[in-house]
Structure formats: structure tokens, C-alpha cells
Amino acid sequence: MLDTPVQLHAINKVAEFPGNLNALEEKYPQFFRCDKSSLVNLNHLRSFDYKEKELLLDGEIRCKASFRKSRELNKLLRDN
């Protein structure tokens, strides 16, 4: 089975490269898996709306979190 290319969305650019999200998540602890197909860099997190399960990142980028991951992120943010 071939890996689907990883898409990196930055403020001014979108890049594609080979790899998988599990490896990136392990290698870069600042990345948080907000659902089964997305990682976000918590260094660029501006706010998190727990009720709406939505993250707001730099550049007005918005990302939804799964129910389970939103609970995990809420706990992570509370503890730090």
C-alpha cells in the first residue's frame, strides 16, 4: 500500500511530500493530531473554541478537531 502524500499548509504556501502523519507526530512534539487526517503546530495556535471544536491558527487558518481529540487538546491546554 502506498502512502498518500502529506500536504503541508502554511500561511503563504502549500507543499506536498512523501511521508505519513504518524511519523511526523512522533518526530515533532509540537504537532497535535486534531483528527485522523490533520496535524496542527501548536506553536501557531491562537485560540481553541471547545464548544465548536475549532482551532484558530496564525493566518486565520481554521481546523476542526474530533470529539475525542478536542477533549485531549482542552486538557493539554489547561495543564500548560
Side-chain angles (χ1 to χ4, degrees):
M1 184 171 111
L2 296 174
D3 286 335
T4 303
V6 173
Q7 275 194 345
L8 173 70
H9 292 257
I11 294 172
N12 297 320
K13 188 177 188 177
V14 176
E16 258 188 29
F17 55 92
N20 67 59
L21 296 181
N22 291 332
L24 290 171
E25 189 177 20
E26 281 183 30
K27 187 172 182 175
Y28 300 101
Q30 73 270 27
F31 286 173
F32 177 79
R33 187 76 160 260
C34 59
D35 65 23
K36 68 179 182 174
S37 60
S38 302
L39 289 173
V40 295
N41 185 336
L42 293 179
N43 292 334
H44 295 281
L45 180 66
R46 291 178 55 197
S47 65
F48 175 55
D49 184 335
Y50 181 71
K51 183 177 177 183
E52 296 297 322
K53 315 277 185 269
E54 186 175 76
L55 295 85
L56 176 62
L57 305 163
D58 293 342
E60 301 303 314
I61 297 169
R62 296 179 185 278
C63 181
K64 287 285 192 177
S66 70
F67 178 78
R68 184 175 64 87
K69 288 297 190 170
S70 64
R71 287 190 351 217
E72 187 179 325
L73 179 59
N74 199 45
K75 182 180 182 328
L76 178 71
L77 294 174
R78 259 195 345 252
D79 293 347
N80 285 329

